[in-house]
Amino acid sequence: MQTYVKNSLLEWKEEMLKQKKEIDDEYEKVKSDLQLYSIKFSITKQVIQSTINDEIIDNIKESYHKPYEEKFNELKQYIKELDEKRKVFQMFVDKIDKVSETEMMEK
C-alpha cells in the first residue's frame, strides 16, 4: 500500500475514533441520567401507589411523576440514537482496519 494511502486511511481512522469517543462519552453521561430518572420515576410511582389522598396524588403526578416519565422516555430514545451512532463509527473503524490489512497482505 502506498504510504500516502496508508497515512490517509490512518488519519481517517483517527478521525472516526475521535468522533466515536465523543459519542461514547455522551452515551455514558446519558446512561447515568437515564438511570437517575428511572429511579426518580420509580420512586414517585411507589409513593403515588402508597398515597390515599387524591389531591396529593395529583400534585405528585403533575410536579414529579409526569416530568420524570417524560425525561426518562426522552433519554431512552436519545440513548438508542447514540448507540446506533456508536455502531456506525465502529463500523467505519473496522472497515478501515480490514481494508488496511487486506492491502498489506496483498503486497
Side-chain angles (χ1 to χ4, degrees):
M1 180 183 295
Q2 293 178 349
T3 304
Y4 171 76
V5 173
K6 182 179 176 182
N7 289 340
S8 293
L9 285 174
L10 185 58
E11 286 176 21
W12 192 29
K13 177 182 172 182
E14 293 300 319
E15 181 184 325
M16 294 297 116
L17 285 170
K18 181 182 175 195
Q19 290 185 35
K20 184 179 179 297
K21 169 84 168 91
E22 290 171 4
I23 293 167
D24 287 343
D25 292 346
E26 178 71 8
Y27 181 91
E28 290 304 317
K29 180 187 176 304
V30 172
K31 184 178 172 183
S32 295
D33 288 348
L34 185 62
Q35 182 181 11
L36 173 64
Y37 278 93
S38 174
I39 291 168
K40 287 180 171 184
F41 178 66
S42 177
I43 289 171
T44 57
K45 186 175 184 177
Q46 292 169 17
V47 169
I48 288 170
Q49 290 172 345
S50 300
T51 303
I52 299 171
N53 185 313
D54 287 339
E55 184 179 331
I56 294 174
I57 290 172
D58 290 342
N59 189 15
I60 291 171
K61 281 183 179 180
E62 193 62 37
S63 299
Y64 302 104
H65 190 70
K66 287 179 185 178
Y68 293 159
E69 180 180 25
E70 289 170 4
K71 186 66 173 179
F72 173 77
N73 288 330
E74 177 186 312
L75 290 168
K76 198 162 67 169
Q77 181 61 37
Y78 185 46
I79 205 163
K80 286 179 185 178
E81 293 169 14
L82 288 172
D83 192 44
E84 183 64 25
K85 286 181 181 179
R86 291 169 70 193
K87 290 175 184 175
V88 167
F89 281 96
Q90 186 61 51
M91 281 192 289
F92 269 111
V93 171
D94 293 345
K95 298 290 182 186
I96 293 169
D97 283 344
K98 186 171 180 149
V99 165
S100 297
E101 289 172 14
T102 303
E103 289 293 323
M104 293 295 279
M105 289 181 182
E106 290 178 0
K107 294 285 175 179

